Amino acid sequence: MKGKKDVYTASLGLIGSAIGLGNLWRFPYMVGKNGGGAFLIVYLCFVVLLGAPLMIGEFILGRSSHASIVGAFKSFTPGKPWYLTGGLGVLTSSLILGFYGLVGGWSLKFFYLSSTNAFINKNSSEMGEIFIKFIASPVDPIFWQILFMVITALVLISKIEGSVEKITKIMMPMLFLIIIVLCMKALVLPEIGKGMVFFLKPDFSRITAGGIQAAMGQAFFSLSIGMGVLITYGSFMKSDENLFISALHVIGTDTIVAFLIGVIVFPVAFTYGIDPGSGPGLIFTTLSSLFNEIPGGYGLGVMFFLLLFLAALTTAISLLESVVTCLNNQCKLPRDISVLIATVLITGLGSLTSLSLGVWRETNIFYILDYITVDIFLPVIAMLTSFYIGHVLELKVIQEEMTNNGVQFKHAKILQQMLKFVCPVIIGAVLLIGLVLN
Ligand code: PFF
């Protein structure tokens, strides 16, 4: 019984790290921007074809090396430059936090606004204006971003990370519950038909090479692939934990959450006349419009934005942790100093990112940072890691890691070939086509 419980908690921590702004904020905005249903189908194909083998591969690398990102590469190929792949993963985590922390701050601000009833009697276009005015302001979003990053850093310094697991345990069922309630509300909206057609009916003429590249990046981002977080989780996993089942839990939950958010956002957008391609404000403007119109909207709004903030926080903690662990282990800096340095630098970057949505609009830092990290760095790291695991790890190691309670895993060879050839070739091809044709 105890074994079962341990497996459950390990998966839960992982699920807490995987489910975050990627599902709740970025997924609907990407679907909206890239043509709806066709993007969804391509995204799902990448989740199955690349996400599953890569997630299992990162678990295997972590558990067999008992090391986190940089150390895992060093332990199998000492003295070779492969560890730089791990280094690039840590750099990517820091850069991603540069905009993740900012959007985390937006969720805090919206939690504050909804709890002070600031949206009352506002229609959807006024809501859109509130959002645009807020993100373009030179001070307000930076203040909320700093607050978000300070909370994240305090969790790491105060060693209450064990409590994060407890928060996740309460947060996840509540998030599911509120998503189900909002789905039921969305399903009776007048423009449900238009919303569902946009989200579910693929029109492949609307997706570009850049859209396919974006779908691949979104799959990696949402499943936390390519940043070493999964390698680190793998290193903590017990030898009797079934890696295949753990990956299935994480991928299944992550995908269901993203899908249900789409079921909510698009009917709301069409009903209240919000452009589904309106960009990073989509989740904020659609949902605050919905909360304004439905009975019980005040309580649902406060709850939703609180959960959005907590989901962002649990993920930001794992991102910052991987940067801090790297500074701590590789640069031999004390942990508290590592937290301080990482937080100050990342918050500085986040502030520049924020200004690029207002007074420094011409620099486009927000969109460039998002594109470079999610659509280029993550796929490149995923491609290298995939090839590395398939190439360097002996078949025997993969076989052993995938064998549970004496039940032999019969497809180790296929998994190895997938990681060695199939995944890197697909990733490389999508990247190339996206970069050339975009
Ligand atoms: N998967 C997270 C999300 O969907 O919000 C984002 C993320 C977390 C990406 C951790 C990468 C990572 F290492």
Side-chain angles (χ1 to χ4, degrees), residues 17-23 100 221-224 227 229 315 318-319:
S17 154
I19 294 181
L21 295 174
N23 314 64
Y100 206 95
F221 184 74
S222 191
L223 298 174
S224 309
M227 265 167 292
V229 172
T315 303
S318 70
L319 281 168

Side-chain angles (χ1 to χ4, degrees), residues 2-115:
K2 182 162 189 309
K4 230 182 182 166
K5 188 167 172 282
D6 287 346
V7 170
Y8 173 70
T9 9
S11 304
L12 198 76
L14 248 176
I15 289 172
S17 154
I19 294 181
L21 295 174
N23 314 64
L24 304 166
W25 161 71
R26 202 173 183 280
F27 176 75
Y29 135 54
M30 282 291 134
V31 173
K33 203 176 124 197
N34 290 290
F39 181 91
L40 174 69
I41 301 285
V42 178
Y43 170 80
L44 292 175
C45 290
F46 284 136
V47 165
V48 175
L49 204 66
L50 303 176
L54 266 157
M55 182 175 284
I56 295 172
E58 288 201 24
F59 286 162
I60 293 177
L61 183 59
R63 193 165 69 177
S64 57
S65 64
H66 305 290
S68 62
I69 181 156
V70 178
F73 286 95
K74 279 188 176 168
S75 82
F76 281 106
T77 41
K80 299 250 170 70
W82 275 107
Y83 68 91
L84 293 174
T85 311
L88 187 58
V90 176
L91 174 71
T92 308
S93 295
S94 332
L95 296 177
I96 282 183
L97 256 180
F99 67 83
Y100 206 95
L102 178 65
V103 183
W106 297 353
S107 67
L108 255 182
K109 165 83 179 188
F110 269 68
F111 168 57
Y112 167 76
L113 287 178
S114 56
S115 48

Side-chain angles (χ1 to χ4, degrees), residues 19 22-25 27-29 31 40 43-44 172-187 189 192 195-196 199-200 222 251-269 283 286-287 290 304:
I19 294 181
N23 314 64
L24 304 166
W25 161 71
F27 176 75
Y29 135 54
V31 173
L40 174 69
Y43 170 80
L44 292 175
M172 281 302 156
M174 289 183 73
L175 188 63
F176 257 104
L177 195 72
I178 200 157
I179 286 176
I180 300 291
V181 172
L182 294 178
C183 274
M184 290 183 331
K185 301 275 182 197
L187 291 176
L189 287 174
I192 167 84
M196 285 308 191
F199 183 46
L200 299 179
S222 191
I251 294 174
T253 321
D254 191 82
T255 308
I256 290 172
V257 170
F259 181 81
L260 293 179
I261 289 293
V263 170
I264 300 166
V265 164
F266 296 106
V268 175
I283 187 83
T286 48
L287 287 199
L290 179 69
F304 177 81

Side-chain angles (χ1 to χ4, degrees), residues 82-345:
W82 275 107
Y83 68 91
L84 293 174
T85 311
L88 187 58
V90 176
L91 174 71
T92 308
S93 295
S94 332
L95 296 177
I96 282 183
L97 256 180
F99 67 83
Y100 206 95
L102 178 65
V103 183
W106 297 353
S107 67
L108 255 182
K109 165 83 179 188
F110 269 68
F111 168 57
Y112 167 76
L113 287 178
S114 56
S115 48
T116 52
N117 231 337
F119 299 135
I120 197 120
N121 296 332
K122 299 268 187 305
N123 62 30
S124 60
S125 76
E126 287 169 317
M127 214 72 84
E129 275 163 30
I130 294 179
F131 180 79
I132 300 277
K133 219 169 130 201
F134 163 61
I135 63 167
S137 144
V139 181
D140 208 14
I142 294 181
F143 164 78
W144 290 98
Q145 182 231 185
I146 293 175
L147 188 60
F148 180 85
M149 288 305 295
V150 167
I151 298 173
T152 309
L154 284 178
V155 174
L156 292 201
I157 290 178
S158 60
K159 308 205 172 58
I160 54 160
E161 279 179 82
S163 332
V164 174
E165 193 113 306
K166 292 195 192 101
I167 300 176
T168 311
K169 233 180 215 170
I170 303 169
M171 179 191 86
M172 281 302 156
M174 289 183 73
L175 188 63
F176 257 104
L177 195 72
I178 200 157
I179 286 176
I180 300 291
V181 172
L182 294 178
C183 274
M184 290 183 331
K185 301 275 182 197
L187 291 176
V188 294
L189 287 174
E191 296 300 351
I192 167 84
K194 276 192 192 154
M196 285 308 191
V197 166
F198 179 83
F199 183 46
L200 299 179
K201 191 166 174 233
D203 172 0
F204 287 100
S205 65
R206 295 176 74 167
I207 195 157
T208 59
I212 296 175
Q213 185 190 356
M216 182 171 76
Q218 175 62 25
F220 291 151
F221 184 74
S222 191
L223 298 174
S224 309
I225 285 169
M227 265 167 292
V229 172
L230 300 177
I231 300 178
T232 309
Y233 266 105
S235 72
F236 296 142
M237 282 178 176
K238 301 207 168 45
S239 58
D240 62 351
E241 183 163 347
N242 188 323
L243 300 186
F244 183 77
I245 298 288
S246 293
L248 214 63
H249 277 170
V250 180
I251 294 174
T253 321
D254 191 82
T255 308
I256 290 172
V257 170
F259 181 81
L260 293 179
I261 289 293
V263 170
I264 300 166
V265 164
F266 296 106
V268 175
F270 280 91
T271 300
Y272 298 119
I274 299 167
D275 174 11
S278 59
L282 189 63
I283 187 83
F284 295 96
T285 45
T286 48
L287 287 199
S288 5
S289 304
L290 179 69
F291 297 135
N292 238 349
E293 300 287 331
I294 55 176
Y298 172 78
L300 282 173
V302 174
M303 226 27 227
F304 177 81
F305 287 116
L306 175 65
L307 290 167
L308 184 66
F309 157 65
L310 289 176
L313 182 68
T314 48
T315 303
I317 290 167
S318 70
L319 281 168
L320 189 61
E321 176 67 58
S322 100
V323 181
V324 167
T325 307
C326 182
L327 287 176
N328 196 207
N329 293 347
Q330 307 298 323
C331 308
K332 307 278 174 263
L333 290 171
R335 190 177 156 86
D336 288 358
I337 302 286
S338 306
V339 173
L340 188 70
I341 294 177
T343 309
V344 168
L345 289 179

